[in-house]
Each structure stands twice: as C-alpha cells, then as structure tokens.
Amino acid sequence: MKKCLKCGSNVEDENRFCQYCGYELTADINGFPNIICKEKRMEISVLLAIFLPGISYFYLGLFKRGILYLLSFMILFLVLAIKSGFYTNIAQINTQILAIVYIIVCLCIYAYQIMDVVEKTKMINNKYIRFLK
C-alpha cells in the first residue's frame, strides 16, 4: 500500500492515480514517492525572515506564502498612504493614530512571519512538507 501525497489515503500499489482525490501517484523505480526532501538551514531561514521579510518563504520553496506576505504589506502600505491625507469626520481619527495602528499591525504580521518560517523550516527538515519533482 502507498499513501497519496495529496489526501493521505491508502492506495493500492498498482494504481497510478488516487481513487479518492484523483491525484497522480508518481513513483521512481524503487516504488518510493518521487519527492524532494532537501533540508533547509534554520540560520538562513531565520536571518532572511528578520532582514528580508517574505523572501524567506521563497528560500523555503513556499512561493504562494511569500507572495501573499509581500502583497499584504503592499496593501497595508497603500491603505496608510491613501488614509494619511484625509481626516475621517465620523470617527475623528487623525493620521498619527492611523500610523500607530499600522505599525502595530505590521509588527504583528512581522512577528508571525518569523515564527511561521521557523515552524515551516522544522516541518521541511522533518519531512512533513515535501515537494514533488
């Protein structure tokens, strides 16, 4: 019995596709899943997460997360740039309060990103996250 890499269900050895999710079961000559399990260095991941936030996901091979992280900061910056020239009459929020809220939100996202990179690096090194060739 093999395990499907997508849904984790048990599949017969002779099946080429998973009977539950339809995922193609690629295998090499020895019958082991055709996966890449290259370990990533924790030091590089953490340093990239600290000094180049978002780029560390690209180092780990998690491109969607990296793009989402960078886009989230761009959107937050655009919101601050648009709101910085205006005063809201309804809530009487001025730009200093908006800037403080922006900084707090960015710092929370930044701290989460560092913790997430450490966790994902451990998962890659322990073979919980695998990449198909």
Side-chain angles (χ1 to χ4, degrees), residues 4-9 11 15-26:
C4 175
L5 294 176
K6 187 174 182 184
C7 68
S9 59
V11 182
N15 290 356
R16 183 172 175 208
F17 295 95
C18 177
Q19 60 208 20
Y20 300 103
C21 68
Y23 187 72
E24 185 176 4
L25 304 169
T26 56

Side-chain angles (χ1 to χ4, degrees), residues 20-92:
Y20 300 103
C21 68
Y23 187 72
E24 185 176 4
L25 304 169
T26 56
D28 61 14
I29 299 169
N30 297 329
F32 295 107
N34 197 6
I35 57 175
I36 301 170
C37 291
K38 184 177 180 185
E39 290 195 10
K40 302 292 183 178
R41 293 189 54 193
M42 183 66 74
E43 302 86 19
I44 294 174
S45 297
V46 172
L47 287 174
L48 283 173
I50 292 171
F51 295 111
L52 298 171
I55 304 300
S56 54
Y57 288 117
F58 294 106
Y59 169 70
L60 294 176
L62 304 170
F63 300 108
K64 290 179 185 175
R65 275 185 188 263
I67 291 170
L68 282 173
Y69 181 81
L70 294 174
L71 283 176
S72 68
F73 263 100
M74 289 169 43
I75 290 170
L76 284 172
F77 179 75
L78 286 174
V79 167
L80 180 67
I82 290 170
K83 286 295 230 176
S84 65
F86 304 106
Y87 289 92
T88 311
N89 292 335
I90 298 171
Q92 298 296 325

Side-chain angles (χ1 to χ4, degrees), residues 5-6 35-39 62 119-131:
L5 294 176
K6 187 174 182 184
I35 57 175
I36 301 170
C37 291
K38 184 177 180 185
E39 290 195 10
L62 304 170
E119 178 186 339
K120 297 301 181 221
T121 305
K122 287 178 184 177
M123 290 176 75
I124 289 171
N125 290 342
N126 290 331
K127 314 282 189 283
Y128 291 121
I129 297 178
R130 300 173 288 189
F131 302 98

